[in-house]
Amino acid sequence: MKRVIAAVALAVGLAGPAVAEPVLGVWKTQVDDGAYAHVTFSQCGAALCGVISRTFNASGEYQSENIGKQLVWDMNANGSGKYSGGKIWQPSTGKVYKSKMTLSGSTLKVAGCVGPICKKQTWTKVQ
């Protein structure tokens, strides 16, 4: 009977806290076309998405028209810090790339390709 109760408790999430997805939170992008952003990752249905939450240039923080826009969407966690199947938008060009990410501690390597053209950035964890 104890096994049945433990199995039911685990199934409904009562046996302990859920493990948070490690990529959730705020990440600082690399500079692109003279500016960088803070991107806030959250759960979007079954996938992960990232929204531009703050923007910065050489003068400091500024109110870009891109604040609030999705930068990453449909990203799937594959375990061991690997993410794939997502899309990423590059605001400076308006292009959308097929994307994948690799998380290692407070570093997130983001890569995306459109046809034969691929780009990479390394983002750092803000919070």
Side-chain angles (χ1 to χ4, degrees):
M1 185 62 147
K2 288 182 182 178
R3 286 185 187 172
V4 173
I5 292 171
V8 171
L10 185 60
V12 296
L14 300 176
V19 176
E21 177 56 50
V23 80
L24 298 180
V26 181
W27 295 84
K28 177 184 172 186
T29 69
Q30 280 184 231
V31 174
D32 180 34
D33 198 30
Y36 69 92
H38 284 182
V39 177
T40 302
F41 273 91
S42 60
Q43 199 72 42
C44 295
L48 299 162
C49 61
V51 174
I52 298 171
S53 50
R54 297 173 74 185
T55 51
F56 303 84
N57 60 23
S59 301
E61 188 169 4
Y62 75 102
Q63 292 299 308
S64 167
E65 62 191 27
N66 295 323
I67 292 174
K69 292 183 180 178
Q70 268 196 343
L71 189 75
V72 178
W73 62 95
D74 293 337
M75 193 62 70
N76 298 299
N78 301 325
S80 300
K82 306 278 186 195
Y83 301 85
S84 65
K87 304 275 191 221
I88 190 165
W89 170 58
Q90 183 180 21
S92 64
T93 64
K95 291 184 179 179
V96 174
Y97 297 80
K98 290 185 203 177
S99 184
K100 62 183 181 178
M101 306 185 310
T102 304
L103 176 66
S104 178
S106 61
T107 301
L108 184 64
K109 292 186 184 272
V110 180
C113 297
V114 172
I117 299 171
C118 296
K119 296 190 175 190
K120 297 179 182 179
Q121 281 198 349
T122 299
W123 297 359
T124 54
K125 186 84 170 193
V126 175
Q127 65 183 63

